Amino acid sequence: GFAPFAIHRAEELVAMVRNDQFGSEIRWARVRQPFQKPELDIGWGPQRVRVSEEEDDWGWSVPTMINVSGMVFSPNDDAFALSGESPGTEPRTITVSVHDFPSLRTRFVRTIEFDDKPIVDPFPRQWPIATRPVAFGPGGRRLYVPEGIGLITVLDAVTGAEIDYWDAHAGQVCTIDVQ
């Protein structure tokens, strides 16, 4: 299946997620180190690098969601955003969280409901996918969240407050790049 990853340019790290029925764990590895499978490794990727005291032997257990489907570092590499599903949320939602890096301290967690915004150009969107990658704006202060039904929500990347949203187009927004 699809396993999202993110690159931390300054530290030359790759962040990799492992989702299962019990939650999500994230591990980090050096980009320049060759992938190896040492005998003591837990078996799902390259030798890991610990970045925070928040990690255990399996990696960092994501406290904010059970199925991470998108992740990205901020442009200045001091924050890490995740998107996916949270326990007990409705299918027409997406959960977004931003964490300081490398401490992994949670800045905010926000669940966005698709149905709470009017859609300018109605289109029969029967299968919204609440698991899309997010993107930081160039300065790292804004976070752009594609909602799977054609909407894009703009959040303050520090507080999680909604700044704006717009109906991007009638179909699903599958990727986003903010320049």
Side-chain angles (χ1 to χ4, degrees):
F2 174 71
F5 67 93
I7 303 293
H8 187 283
R9 292 175 299 274
E11 296 293 327
E12 296 183 333
L13 293 173
V14 60
M16 301 162 289
V17 69
R18 177 176 176 242
N19 292 312
D20 65 27
Q21 67 267 26
F22 301 110
S24 298
E25 292 88 30
I26 296 177
R27 298 176 83 184
W28 286 265
R30 293 268 176 237
V31 174
R32 292 182 183 245
Q33 289 180 342
F35 281 38
Q36 304 171 18
K37 184 168 169 66
E39 294 299 318
L40 298 177
D41 195 271
I42 62 171
W44 59 276
Q47 231 175 353
R48 64 183 280 217
V49 174
R50 285 184 185 241
V51 298
S52 171
E53 294 297 318
E54 297 296 315
E55 296 176 72
D56 61 21
D57 290 341
W58 299 96
W60 178 53
S61 294
V62 180
T64 57
M65 60 193 69
I66 58 169
N67 186 14
V68 174
S69 58
M71 56 184 168
V72 65
F73 284 100
S74 66
N76 53 5
D77 291 325
D78 69 341
F80 186 64
L82 304 171
S83 61
E85 301 171 48
S86 286
T89 57
E90 296 296 319
R92 293 180 59 84
T93 62
I94 184 170
T95 298
V96 177
S97 63
V98 174
H99 308 270
D100 289 331
F101 191 83
S103 72
L104 304 177
R105 182 188 65 81
T106 301
R107 289 184 183 177
F108 72 85
V109 179
R110 174 141 185 180
T111 298
I112 300 170
E113 295 183 21
F114 296 162
D115 293 330
D116 69 349
K117 296 179 180 71
I119 298 172
V120 177
D121 181 20
F123 183 81
R125 303 168 194 186
Q126 299 298 319
W127 305 105
I129 298 174
T131 54
R132 293 291 176 216
V134 295
F136 281 96
R141 299 276 308 154
R142 292 183 176 200
L143 189 68
Y144 295 80
V145 183
E147 295 189 28
I149 58 170
L151 298 178
I152 295 175
T153 298
V154 183
L155 302 177
D156 181 291
V158 175
T159 67
E162 186 174 309
I163 297 171
D164 197 6
Y165 74 90
W166 71 91
D167 195 4
H169 55 79
Q172 293 183 358
V173 180
C174 296
T175 60
I176 187 166
D177 184 23
V178 181
Q179 306 258 337

